[in-house]
Amino acid sequence: MRVIDPNLDGITHINVYSGSRTELGRMLSNFCREEIYTKDGRFMSVEAYWFWLGISPDCKERECMRDLFGYQAKAKGTYLREVYPGEQIEDFQDRIIRAIWYKAKRHTDLFLSEYENLPLKHYYVNRNGSVRDVYGKYWWMIEAEEKMKKYIYEVKKQL
């Protein structure tokens, strides 16, 4: 098991997390309040879109998810998904990756030169300072964000 030191966020790695020490890590987080436009319409965060996709269209409250972000999106989405579970979306991962890409390409200024060779990680830091690595659960998202990051740096070099 690899040990992650959250004090090295922004130095040896970038944590994709709402509590990241870097603005880049916070922006890439699904909790980030960032208006996105998807094939399913407008949302105020990737987190809200994530849950919206998992809630049955029969749920009238589902549409309130469009305006939520952060913990509020997670809490409301978790509740609605439990009460009104939706069908499995075949292209769920692709939709989420496209939503993240939508906001990443609007914030290329956050991809600072000193971050170019730093790997992206995804972990939570609890109040007591303990770390919960969730890369294994969301590897597909971090891998896609690594590809986005690489592409953005390649384009920046050409400018």
Side-chain angles (χ1 to χ4, degrees):
M1 182 172 180
R2 57 189 179 145
V3 176
I4 297 173
D5 183 348
N7 295 312
L8 297 178
D9 182 13
I11 300 168
T12 62
H13 66 275
I14 303 293
N15 187 14
V16 177
Y17 171 56
S18 59
S20 177
R21 291 177 178 237
T22 69
E23 199 172 351
L24 174 60
R26 292 189 301 273
M27 182 276 296
L28 288 173
S29 164
N30 292 348
F31 267 36
C32 179
R33 181 181 184 188
E34 179 70 33
E35 190 171 47
I36 57 169
Y37 288 87
T38 72
K39 69 189 256 180
D40 298 298
R42 182 196 66 80
F43 293 86
M44 284 308 297
S45 69
V46 175
E47 189 76 6
Y49 184 44
W50 181 297
F51 279 100
W52 183 90
L53 289 169
I55 300 167
S56 170
D58 296 333
C59 174
K60 291 179 179 147
E61 282 187 84
R62 178 186 190 212
E63 291 308 303
C64 79
M65 294 301 300
R66 293 182 184 277
D67 296 318
L68 301 179
F69 61 93
Y71 181 75
Q72 192 177 29
K74 184 177 183 82
K76 183 71 167 186
T78 299
Y79 168 75
L80 292 177
R81 190 173 61 189
E82 286 176 11
V83 178
Y84 299 96
E87 299 292 320
Q88 179 74 26
I89 305 287
E90 185 176 321
D91 63 342
F92 174 82
Q93 290 181 4
D94 184 59
R95 289 186 197 198
I96 295 301
I97 290 165
R98 287 176 184 273
I100 296 167
W101 180 236
Y102 182 88
K103 66 180 179 170
K105 68 184 177 183
R106 292 171 52 202
H107 292 285
T108 58
D109 58 309
L110 299 180
F111 290 80
L112 304 178
S113 59
E114 58 264 33
Y115 298 157
E116 183 173 3
N117 297 313
L118 300 184
L120 298 177
K121 296 188 184 264
H122 188 34
Y123 58 90
Y124 305 136
V125 181
N126 299 314
R127 288 189 176 128
N128 66 6
S130 65
V131 172
R132 184 166 60 110
D133 187 356
V134 291
Y135 174 85
K137 187 174 183 181
Y138 302 111
W139 64 268
W140 56 271
M141 192 168 51
I142 300 301
E143 294 289 320
E145 290 171 339
E146 283 286 5
K147 288 178 185 173
M148 290 175 208
K149 182 174 153 256
K150 182 179 179 184
Y151 177 80
I152 288 168
Y153 282 113
E154 286 174 6
V155 169
K156 284 182 153 205
K157 286 177 185 173
Q158 295 172 9
L159 297 178

